Amino acid sequence: MFTYALTRLPAKTYPEGITTADLGKPNMDLTIQQHQAYCQALSETGGHVISLPAAPDFPDSVFVEDAAVVTKDFAVITRPGAESRRGEIQLIEPALQPYFDQIFHITAPGTLDGGDICQAEKHFFIGISERTNPEGAKQLANILQQNNYTSSEVNIQSAGGLLHLKSGLAYLGENTMLLDEHLAEHPSFSQYRKLIVPSNETYAGNCLRFNDVVFAPKGFPKTENIIRQAGFKIVVLDTSEYRKMDGGLSCLSLRW
Ligand code: CIR
């Protein structure tokens, strides 16, 4: 069970963030509305949602997941791969301090985005991407090993243009991995029950298991059906305004 989900309100500057999606500018009213619905849905599972104030100096700061990696026992402050996002770590560290006795840091020349990190029970998959480099991955692997977690790397640089590892997969619990077709045959996932996201629904690879619910983005009925058929309780949330900025359900919170 997760006790907490930490979120940050979207800033007025949100539409100025980084994106590769060609879906137009986000509508701010809808962005805020979708954020509220997300927080409400997480809290309905029994989690306590912490809401940080908007940080207009960092348009992408609503995607709090990238600035830290958290477990029940410790937090790791990352070093985001995008220059414009690096300052977000100065805001996330004080927000996490009241909750964690142990805080580690990824340091230069390492870079690492939380979106590249997927926890599956006591194991962590670390994506090597345009944002997370091998040095950042090595530093995180060392921190995890010191704290009795295992880890392995998954290079996603030739995996069909995924921004982050979790753009293309989600650990749903019960030994089940939801996987983008580009990751489906990757040897790292051979021991899991695999649910494969259909090729025309790639964005739905970013689902989120939080307490007893799998949250899925609206508009991807085949993936929704696959998850439901596999026996999970599913709740669909509209993330249209976050998709416009390459973000999704996992990106909007840190959970522990
Ligand atoms: C970025 O490019 O950094 C943001 N516009 C989107 C970050 C999405 N975060 C995530 O997948 N964890």
Side-chain angles (χ1 to χ4, degrees):
M1 275 293 277
F2 290 105
T3 311
Y4 294 106
L6 181 134
T7 62
R8 183 182 293 288
L9 292 171
K12 278 203 281 272
T13 53
Y14 172 61
E16 295 158 29
I18 313 166
T19 189
T20 59
D22 193 12
L23 297 169
K25 287 272 175 202
N27 169 301
M28 276 319 291
D29 288 342
L30 206 48
T31 299
I32 291 165
Q33 215 174 295
Q34 290 177 357
H35 199 263
Q36 280 169 349
Y38 176 82
C39 293
Q40 173 73 24
L42 293 188
S43 72
E44 279 170 12
T45 72
H48 176 70
V49 177
I50 304 159
S51 179
L52 302 178
D57 288 346
F58 300 100
D60 284 302
S61 57
V62 68
F63 301 118
V64 277
E65 175 178 71
D66 294 318
V69 175
V70 293
T71 70
K72 294 251 180 242
D73 319 309
F74 60 91
V76 181
I77 307 300
T78 66
R79 186 166 178 271
E83 200 78 54
S84 68
R85 300 199 58 188
R86 219 154 268 169
E88 291 177 32
I89 58 177
Q90 264 105 49
L91 304 180
I92 210 76
E93 183 158 3
L96 291 172
Q97 259 156 2
Y99 301 94
F100 293 94
D101 292 335
Q102 280 201 97
I103 298 189
F104 301 93
H105 297 85
I106 302 297
T107 56
T111 61
L112 187 134
D113 278 16
D116 279 317
I117 313 306
C118 174
Q119 183 174 4
E121 314 299 341
K122 293 291 280 182
H123 189 77
F124 282 76
F125 294 100
I126 306 176
I128 304 293
S129 69
E130 280 195 14
R131 300 288 178 87
T132 297
N133 66 15
E135 169 62 23
K138 197 173 86 192
Q139 291 180 23
L140 181 64
N142 286 338
I143 295 165
L144 292 169
Q145 193 190 16
Q146 282 160 30
N147 288 280
N148 304 316
Y149 289 92
T150 57
S151 68
S152 56
E153 292 180 4
V154 183
N155 193 319
I156 61 157
Q157 279 166 317
S158 55
L162 296 174
L163 172 63
H164 288 126
L165 179 66
K166 277 188 288 187
S167 311
L169 64 75
Y171 179 62
L172 303 186
E174 282 108 69
N175 202 44
T176 305
M177 277 285 174
L178 179 70
L179 293 165
D180 177 274
E181 58 171 0
H182 294 96
L183 298 172
E185 298 310 322
H186 196 286
S188 294
F189 309 114
S190 56
Q191 81 275 31
Y192 292 95
R193 172 167 71 146
K194 296 186 213 174
L195 307 181
I196 312 300
V197 176
S199 57
N200 59 349
E201 295 199 353
T202 302
Y203 177 74
N206 184 253
C207 282
L208 173 65
R209 170 78 190 253
F210 188 75
N211 293 336
D212 63 337
V213 175
V214 173
F215 292 100
K218 188 178 161 195
F220 303 92
K222 291 186 199 146
T223 307
E224 218 181 283
N225 206 36
I226 289 168
I227 295 168
R228 190 172 288 113
Q229 292 293 318
F232 293 96
K233 177 174 168 189
I234 183 166
V235 170
V236 174
L237 290 172
D238 194 353
T239 56
S240 64
E241 304 317 289
Y242 295 101
R243 188 181 181 196
K244 289 177 181 173
M245 303 307 290
D246 287 343
L249 289 162
S250 75
C251 324
L252 293 172
S253 61
L254 282 165
R255 305 154 297 272
W256 70 94

